[in-house]
Amino acid sequence: MRIEQANPFAYEFEIRNTALVLIDMQRDFIEPGGFGETLGNDVSLLEAIVPATQAALAAWRKAGGLVVHTREAHKPDLSDCPPVKRNRGNPSLRIGDEGPMGRILVAGEPGNQIIDALAPIDGELVIDKPGKGMFYATGLHEVLQQRGITHLLFGGVTTEVCVQTSMREANDRGYDGLLLEDCTESYFPAFKAATLDMIRAQGAIVGWTAPSAALLAALS
Ligand code: TIU
């Protein structure tokens, strides 16, 4: 497969060696009452990427590719949440506090679930990650290695926080990563734009970006 319209140049991959990774498409970030809103953000911006992400997920499932969903999630006793993370900033509710969708960023709580529109199905990996990056303290690299995965297609939220961190972690581990431009969003549009530029600058220093339509065209 070849995505000719990828930036900064064409991206080549084989479906059997590639996973679609959807980062943290959980209620905590996309719906009111979760972590995103407690940090003072307008979460409605993020909802706009759901239709394009749904279409990419449907096409990828149809093609038979591996799907990985991540959730930013901490254990109920918060033993995997460094105090500096819990104490950072001035949120109206901190990680572990009881909010309208249950305890903020805690595994198993209603707010921590992937949104219904993108709910995982049997055979897909669901990774709970205590950090912003998807490899830190998750064992995901070993799982992907066992499955022969060398290429990662990314979507999810937020572009400059968990998505970019995960792409950089992936790049350092030897994966070729491509970010689907309209399947990712930030609470800060300027940060999204800057992140897309940073990823593909200097000859794909972190990876590639492409509109999801280019992936759909390659798969059709
Ligand atoms: N705050 C923010 O933009 N993002 C996060 O805290 N987590 C993720 O990006 N998932």
Side-chain angles (χ1 to χ4, degrees):
M1 296 263 155
R2 186 175 165 91
I3 300 182
E4 201 60 53
Q5 306 96 311
N7 295 298
F9 50 85
Y11 177 84
E12 293 190 32
F13 67 100
E14 299 293 334
I15 293 170
R16 67 175 184 283
N17 301 124
T18 305
L20 173 66
V21 182
L22 297 181
I23 299 286
D24 300 359
M25 291 297 286
Q26 61 201 64
R27 300 178 65 198
D28 284 312
F29 294 110
I30 294 168
E31 296 183 12
F35 187 55
E37 192 173 76
T38 78
L39 292 169
N41 299 307
D42 172 6
V43 297
S44 65
L45 262 178
L46 271 52
E47 224 180 357
I49 66 165
V50 172
T53 309
Q54 248 183 330
L57 176 61
W60 191 247
R61 282 173 173 162
K62 196 170 163 215
L66 177 65
V67 179
V68 180
H69 304 263
T70 71
R71 298 183 289 214
E72 188 171 347
H74 293 282
K75 295 177 182 164
D77 66 2
L78 303 187
S79 59
D80 59 357
C81 181
V84 292
K85 183 175 180 185
R86 184 167 149 78
N87 295 333
R88 197 74 60 79
N90 189 24
S92 57
L93 291 170
R94 293 186 183 279
I95 294 170
D97 289 351
E98 196 69 45
M101 293 193 292
R103 294 181 66 202
I104 300 287
L105 284 200
V106 169
E109 298 289 330
N112 210 231
Q113 305 311 310
I114 307 284
I115 59 169
D116 286 345
L118 301 171
I121 59 174
D122 279 353
E124 298 181 348
L125 301 180
V126 181
I127 303 293
D128 282 346
K129 60 182 190 49
K132 301 303 183 192
M134 68 181 189
F135 289 106
Y136 171 67
T138 62
L140 178 60
H141 182 50
E142 291 69 23
V143 174
L144 295 178
Q145 294 293 108
Q146 278 163 10
R147 291 174 179 249
I149 299 296
T150 55
H151 288 62
L152 299 170
L153 305 172
F154 285 90
V157 296
T158 59
T159 314
E160 80 282 10
V161 183
C162 290
V163 176
Q164 181 171 209
T165 303
S166 296
M167 279 195 80
R168 288 177 182 273
E169 284 187 336
N171 198 49
D172 284 348
R173 285 164 178 77
Y175 298 92
D176 276 333
L178 177 141
L179 178 55
L180 298 168
E181 295 160 5
D182 50 332
C183 299
T184 185
E185 194 49 88
S186 168
Y187 300 121
F188 306 91
F191 288 174
K192 174 179 175 177
T195 301
L196 296 180
D197 282 345
M198 280 180 223
I199 286 168
R200 60 199 176 201
Q202 304 180 70
I205 192 84
V206 176
W208 287 253
T209 77
S212 63
L215 172 66
L216 300 190
L219 294 174
S220 67

